[in-house]
Amino acid sequence: PYDFTVADHEATLAREEEMRRTVPAVFDLDLKMNNRITAELRGAFAEARRMIAEERLTPGNTEPLSEQALERLFPVLRERLPRFTQGDVLEICLRHSFSSELENQIVALVQEGMKSPGVILSRDALLPYQQQGLILRNTVSKEDELLQDWTALRDLDQAHDLLRQNEYQLTTVGGEEKREIITFLESWIIPNVYYNASASGDTEQLYMQQVNPVLIQIKKGRTLVRAGDEVEATEKAVL
């Protein structure tokens, strides 16, 4: 006898599920990690150069250290710089007096391996979101970037491959020394991209707020259900 409107809950749920499949997941790009690694590497080189300068005694002296001086310094540096004791890395750096040039080239290689869009522990974590895209949240600038191509993120193996591809930039050393340094630098490249469950949940809520309920308009005089008809979800909602 009159017009009325009723919510179609089943259709609304279907619309919400469709929207949910389009919600990009949020991953944090923690560039503070890059800064921390850079600071640790530069700090180690600065400490080693300070100790080398003390061993030389004469200010401004850049002559190579004597064998006796190297023998005195080596065990002290092993204790002060435990991460440099891998293979012959400490001896190599010491032979080159932990020069600023070697330091800058090493830092540049590590930063290149960890540059945006960053390094993730395993790309398997990205597979559930490959269709809907990712939001990469920069923890330093607080800016969000919609990353449609999830393959741009590197896993550790790919970051190590990039390091080896760029080894030509390491010009201070060569031959076996270069190979030792590159292998050593692999341990300095670590994941700096992580799934942010809290931010992903907040983003999903924002998307879901845009979903309007599906409404069924019933006009005056319409027959709702005829005798013998099957009562489906829509008819049930109307009744």
Side-chain angles (χ1 to χ4, degrees):
Y2 51 82
D3 295 346
F4 70 94
T5 302
V6 64
D8 188 337
H9 296 294
E10 294 292 332
T12 301
L13 289 174
R15 180 180 288 182
E16 289 177 348
E17 185 57 36
E18 184 179 352
M19 174 63 82
R20 192 171 283 110
R21 287 195 293 268
T22 69
V23 179
V26 180
F27 282 75
D28 285 342
L29 171 61
D30 187 5
L31 293 181
K32 293 178 183 177
M33 195 78 70
N34 300 40
N35 298 338
R36 182 180 64 78
I37 289 173
T38 295
E40 188 174 346
L41 279 167
R42 291 200 183 281
F45 269 79
E47 174 70 5
R49 284 197 296 269
R50 183 188 64 77
M51 295 174 65
I52 291 170
E54 289 177 354
E55 190 67 37
R56 284 187 172 130
L57 299 177
T58 306
N61 180 14
T62 59
E63 292 296 321
L65 291 175
S66 66
E67 287 296 327
Q68 293 82 0
L70 289 174
E71 289 178 4
R72 286 193 299 271
L73 262 181
F74 187 73
V76 181
L77 286 172
R78 279 185 65 89
E79 183 178 346
R80 295 283 184 88
L81 309 177
R83 294 196 65 179
F84 282 72
T85 57
Q86 176 182 323
D88 297 326
V89 170
L90 186 59
E91 293 95 322
I92 294 168
C93 291
L94 192 53
R95 278 199 295 271
H96 293 272
S97 301
F98 280 84
S99 70
S100 296
E101 185 180 7
L102 178 58
E103 172 190 338
N104 291 334
Q105 291 178 1
I106 281 177
V107 168
L109 283 169
V110 172
Q111 290 301 315
E112 181 71 13
M114 295 180 63
K115 68 180 181 180
S116 180
V119 180
I120 195 164
L121 180 61
S122 171
R123 291 173 78 181
D124 290 345
L126 303 174
L127 294 178
Y129 316 106
Q130 56 183 316
Q131 299 300 325
Q132 61 209 67
L134 311 174
I135 291 176
L136 204 58
R137 178 162 295 174
N138 189 316
T139 60
V140 175
S141 67
K142 307 302 182 184
E143 295 178 349
D144 289 350
E145 175 189 356
L146 184 60
L147 193 67
Q148 294 288 1
D149 184 12
W150 64 278
T151 62
L153 283 168
R154 299 177 294 280
D155 60 21
L156 278 175
D157 288 339
Q158 291 171 315
H160 294 164
D161 287 343
L162 182 60
L163 179 65
R164 287 187 286 271
Q165 290 167 17
N166 292 327
E167 67 177 24
Y168 69 91
Q169 299 176 20
L170 189 59
T171 59
T172 310
V173 297
E176 185 58 36
E177 286 188 342
K178 178 179 289 189
R179 285 188 287 274
E180 285 269 359
I181 293 292
I182 292 297
T183 301
F184 162 67
L185 292 182
E186 288 182 356
S187 65
W188 288 83
I189 294 179
I190 58 178
N192 59 357
V193 174
Y194 305 92
Y195 177 65
N196 188 327
S198 175
S200 295
D202 292 342
T203 302
E204 181 175 304
Q205 285 188 2
L206 288 175
Y207 272 69
M208 300 312 291
Q209 288 171 7
Q210 301 173 32
V211 177
N212 295 318
V214 177
L215 300 176
I216 304 170
Q217 301 289 337
I218 304 297
K219 292 298 183 181
K220 177 181 177 180
R222 172 178 165 181
T223 301
L224 302 183
V225 180
R226 288 184 172 84
D229 286 352
E230 291 187 7
V231 179
E232 302 290 352
T234 300
E235 288 79 17
K236 183 179 179 182
V238 170
L239 288 173

